[in-house]
Amino acid sequence: MATSLQQFRQWEPLAGFRDRWNELLAHTPGAQFFQSWDWLAAYWKHFHAGQQLRVFFHWEGQNLVGIVPLVVREEKTRVGRIRVLTYPLDDWGSFYGPIGLEPTKTLLSVLQELQNCPRDWDLLELRWISPDDEAAGWTRQAFEAAGFCPIHTLWNQTAVVDVVGGQAGWQRYLGSRSAKWRANLRRAEKKLAALGPVEYLRYRPLGHWAGQSDPRWDLYETCYQISQRSWQAGSQTGTTLCHPEVQEFLRQVHKAAAELGAVDINILYVRGQPAAFLYNYYWHGYVYGLRRGFDPWIASQGAGNVLLAWAIRDSFLRNDVLYDLGVGYLETKQPWMTRLVPIHRYSYIPSGRLRMVFIRWKRRWQARRARCR
């Protein structure tokens, strides 16, 4: 069957491919909600400025068998601003990659196309490569087969909790925590119970296909209000639920996630008042903790920790697979995680560009340093 590659540089022609895109994603090994058509549609609407879209469709006859979304974006470095060709994740999640059942074959077709067309980028860098991808060699094999010589380094690392095993798994998890951790949790639960009734709510709709796509804006608003009353209101990161630069983007994504069955809201109520929230995305057993917060009025009672513990326990009981606590602030996540997961990166720097010599040297130094650890 004849194969072909189709490239899209504008979003409008992609509008009609939502169903085919998400159907392919449903069969993609290790897929994430961030790879959905819906997430990219919201991301591109709000953050397209300064970026150029490069979405590749891999066809076998009339069958769409693979998709590779990329962007060219300018990034500031010590050698000045450079054009980077990469995935459109921008650190909103932990992992990304080709969509489809044959990621190496799909990515190889894209990389071969990039070899044969004029370059409008200075650095080809595929970040957010998962451990499953790295173990199978999907990205590495595609780079090498296309004639690129990539430099493999670590992009970041994320703290995760393996939540398999049901009630027995939860008991094993509790037993693996320190005695101090367990004592602190019991103490916090007692403090909250002394204040009045404590209620835990988790909202995870199945999506439009099951007739469950209500975004429950009342619950989202509760998370938003807690965020406004917490430290997040003064955060300068530009990524919190209440930050003006991203709040409309996150609301649009929330609606899309509800449609796909990817919303996971957790709220703890004390005396009938919302005390803490966890706002997550969910996809095929994988929970990604996007944001969390607690109301200052109850901060000293440990409401945030109680909510996280109860959400992890509930994930065990729901037979989830993984709870990703996210990158950053690892010192606060260490007591909760079962392991630290590396996030990989593959970089290709074309020769003949003098100012890119420093970037190449830096990536090689990073690779050598990682091997020596």
Side-chain angles (χ1 to χ4, degrees), residues 307-366:
L307 176 57
L308 181 56
W310 289 7
I312 291 173
R313 178 182 63 191
D314 190 62
S315 279
F316 273 101
L317 300 181
R318 288 172 180 258
N319 294 313
D320 292 341
V321 176
L322 197 73
Y323 196 122
D324 188 342
L325 299 171
V327 302
Y329 304 102
L330 293 179
E331 66 281 357
T332 66
K333 297 170 182 176
Q334 177 139 18
W336 301 88
M337 70 183 189
T338 55
R339 57 194 171 102
L340 203 57
V341 175
I343 303 173
H344 300 269
R345 166 177 62 181
Y346 280 87
S347 310
Y348 170 73
I349 303 103
S351 59
R353 304 190 182 196
L354 185 60
R355 70 188 184 124
M356 296 302 295
V357 171
F358 173 78
I359 302 293
R360 185 183 297 108
W361 175 86
K362 182 179 180 181
R363 290 292 182 272
R364 287 175 175 169
W365 176 79
Q366 290 169 330

Side-chain angles (χ1 to χ4, degrees), residues 95 128-138 158 339 341-344:
F95 307 114
W128 308 292
I129 306 302
S130 71
D132 289 343
D133 184 324
E134 179 61 19
W138 297 328
T158 185
R339 57 194 171 102
V341 175
I343 303 173
H344 300 269

Side-chain angles (χ1 to χ4, degrees), residues 12 16 24 32 39 50 86 88 98 110 116 122 134 195 203 233 237 259 270 275 297 304 308 323 329 332 359-360:
E12 289 72 19
L24 191 62
Q32 305 284 310
W39 189 87
T86 189
V110 172
N116 297 322
D122 305 304
E134 179 61 19
L195 293 176
Y203 179 64
T237 63
E259 280 282 317
V270 179
W297 73 272
L308 181 56
Y323 196 122
Y329 304 102
T332 66
I359 302 293
R360 185 183 297 108

